[in-house]
Amino acid sequence: MRSVIWLVLLFTAAVVAATALGRNDALVAVFYGEWRVDLSLNLFLLALLAGIFIVFTGMQAMQSLLSLPTRAREWREQKRERGAGEALREALAELFAARYARAQRAAQRALELQSSCEALRGDVQFTVLAQMIAASGLHRLQDRRARDERVQAALALVRGKAGAGAGTAFDGLQLLSAEWALEERDAERGLALLAELPPGVARRTQALRLKLQAARVQRRPLDALQTARLLAKHQGFSAPAAQSLLRSLAMEAIDQAYDIEQLRGVWAQLDAQDRRDAFVVSRAARRANALGHAAQGRLWLEPAWDAIAAAGPDDREELALALIDCAPGIGNDWLPRIEAALSAHGHEPALVAAAAMAFADRQLWGKARRMLEQTASAAGLPAPVRRQALRCLAAIAREENREDLAATYDQRAAAID
């Protein structure tokens, strides 16, 4: 197709030339001293065009010859710049491939090429990126002294610099240094590095993850819980992972309470959603009972038990087991809740066990006996619950002066591992 187009253009040029120049009878006389040259106008025009072309070509050739040293210098500069970029890419690829010594060497080669390349000599981002890759390789090789030297050199370069590039480089260095500090279990240093970040950067997902990790290293579950809520809000975790993490942190905070006032303070700091979690409520009730305040535990269990019919099977089991621990001293106000739960889910062993312990504590032996026997025979229940049911049956037998039956229940309770 291209050949056809060129052929058409050639024919067009021939037609235009024949039309314009075919019947031109003019002459051009050139005088030089005693010489006179007569030329047709057509020949003169062609000679003039050829002369202009020759002069123009000659000037271009001369310019190319004179600019040859400059172009050679630019070519060498471009080659060094290209080599520095290739070395930096190689360093990054080696780092991702877990070949840390090679990554460090490639990053060093990139820095050496940069120092000899005028175009890259003032490129702060290139220097910082090469230093970060080299420092990452040294960190994996456990060469902390050399790693810190690299980081300090990069920080000295970006501190005081204006521009988005310098700010981004500083943020990256701080986040990376904080991550390394937390890997070394140095939470204080990690938090100090994160505190130097601008407010906007400190709210990024990676910064929040590092804060969460630091709080967990320092065993500060309430701070970790607050950070985890922010991460969950920003979709830093999947929904199931966020729920599991928030639950575990809330229970860890509850377990760290060593008196009832401290436990109440922790409970007050929990989010409303956490206080509705059956596992968190159950852990708080059990902790209150362990601190000698079973009534407080039952008070926290009341809202969850009022809605137990709509809860899931795992939640109902956890709430029932928590009520078993808090059953001593239970009041008559709990009996309607227990009856409602039994009418809705009376086939679940944990609810039966909770009802049996509550009835036994209220000395409702007629209701409690059959449920206690079911609890003692339920293999799916925890061993302490079954052991407690057998001891309650033994106590009931002693109330009825049936020592032989009580001894049998005691023997069965002792045999449970």
Side-chain angles (χ1 to χ4, degrees):
M1 185 65 185
R2 184 178 299 178
S3 301
V4 174
I5 293 174
W6 277 110
L7 188 61
V8 171
L9 290 176
L10 182 62
F11 286 162
T12 304
V15 171
V16 171
T19 302
L21 304 176
R23 300 183 61 183
N24 194 341
D25 299 330
L27 293 175
V28 175
V30 180
F31 297 93
Y32 183 76
E34 300 177 352
W35 298 91
R36 172 183 173 180
V37 179
D38 292 329
L39 300 171
S40 66
L41 180 61
N42 294 346
L43 180 60
F44 175 77
L45 292 175
L46 292 175
L48 181 62
L49 291 175
I52 293 173
F53 176 75
I54 292 171
V55 171
F56 182 75
T57 304
M59 290 178 63
Q60 278 192 330
M62 184 63 68
Q63 184 180 3
S64 299
L65 183 63
L66 294 176
S67 64
L68 187 59
T70 302
R71 289 189 292 114
R73 185 169 59 254
E74 292 176 352
W75 178 81
R76 289 193 296 268
E77 186 77 8
Q78 188 178 17
K79 184 178 180 181
R80 283 193 292 266
E81 183 178 356
R82 205 161 39 234
E86 290 176 358
L88 189 64
R89 290 193 296 270
E90 179 187 353
L92 193 59
E94 297 289 3
L95 182 66
F96 288 155
R99 292 185 287 201
Y100 304 118
R102 294 185 182 183
Q104 192 271 336
R105 289 195 296 269
Q108 181 60 36
R109 188 167 67 253
L111 289 171
E112 292 171 356
L113 289 171
Q114 182 196 17
S115 63
S116 63
C117 179
E118 186 176 354
L120 291 175
R121 200 167 295 159
D123 193 336
V124 175
Q125 282 187 319
F126 186 96
T127 306
V128 172
L129 184 57
Q131 293 283 25
M132 288 173 66
I133 294 174
S136 299
L138 291 167
H139 172 72
R140 299 302 177 187
L141 294 172
Q142 299 296 315
D143 191 349
R144 297 178 182 176
R145 183 186 60 81
R147 177 202 68 188
D148 293 340
E149 289 177 357
R150 296 278 187 179
V151 172
Q152 291 304 318
L155 284 173
L157 188 63
V158 299
R159 278 199 175 102
K161 295 279 187 179
T168 303
F170 175 78
D171 299 341
L173 284 168
Q174 291 296 101
L175 288 171
L176 197 57
S177 299
E179 183 179 352
W180 293 338
L182 292 173
E183 286 182 10
E184 296 167 1
R185 313 296 291 180
D186 189 353
E188 292 185 4
R189 180 167 173 267
L191 288 174
L193 290 167
L194 292 173
E196 297 179 13
L197 293 171
V201 181
R203 290 192 296 269
R204 292 176 185 169
T205 300
Q206 176 63 9
L208 291 175
R209 287 181 186 275
L210 294 175
K211 286 182 181 178
L212 173 61
Q213 187 177 351
R216 301 197 74 176
V217 169
Q218 291 184 327
R219 297 188 63 80
R220 295 188 300 174
L222 287 176
D223 293 342
L225 186 60
Q226 183 179 3
T227 307
R229 286 197 196 104
L230 287 175
L231 275 171
K233 182 180 178 181
H234 290 89
Q235 297 181 348
F237 307 107
S238 63
Q243 181 183 7
S244 177
L245 178 61
L246 292 172
R247 176 182 292 168
S248 64
L249 289 172
M251 292 193 294
E252 183 180 350
I254 289 169
D255 291 340
Q256 287 186 358
Y258 294 104
D259 58 64
I260 190 61
E261 294 302 325
Q262 188 179 7
L263 181 59
R264 286 171 179 155
V266 171
W267 182 259
Q269 294 182 60
L270 294 180
D271 191 67
Q273 185 175 358
D274 297 330
R275 291 198 292 266
R276 289 194 297 268
D277 190 314
F279 286 81
V280 176
V281 174
S282 300
R283 182 64 65 92
R286 287 174 171 174
R287 187 61 183 166
N289 178 67
L291 295 173
H293 292 77
Q296 179 65 73
R298 291 193 299 274
L299 184 64
W300 287 334
L301 285 172
E302 282 182 8
W305 265 84
D306 288 338
I308 196 170
D314 294 337
D315 292 348
R316 289 196 297 271
E317 181 178 0
E318 194 68 21
L319 291 171
L321 294 177
L323 184 62
I324 291 172
D325 290 344
C326 299
I330 195 169
N332 289 330
D333 57 318
W334 272 89
L335 298 182
R337 295 189 184 94
I338 295 172
E339 293 285 357
L342 285 175
S343 62
H345 303 283
H347 60 283
E348 296 183 5
L351 286 177
V352 172
M357 298 303 173
F359 293 152
D361 187 79
R362 299 303 302 164
Q363 296 185 357
L364 301 174
W365 309 126
K367 289 185 176 182
R369 187 191 303 273
R370 182 177 57 83
M371 294 183 180
L372 289 171
E373 291 175 350
Q374 292 177 5
T375 301
S377 304
L381 290 175
V385 175
R386 290 185 286 126
R387 190 181 301 115
Q388 185 178 353
L390 288 169
R391 288 173 179 169
C392 287
L393 287 170
I396 294 173
R398 288 191 178 91
E399 288 287 337
E400 298 172 350
N401 295 320
R402 301 175 64 183
E403 289 296 333
D404 53 343
L405 184 58
T408 301
Y409 286 136
D410 286 336
Q411 289 176 0
R412 289 178 58 189
I416 295 177
D417 296 331

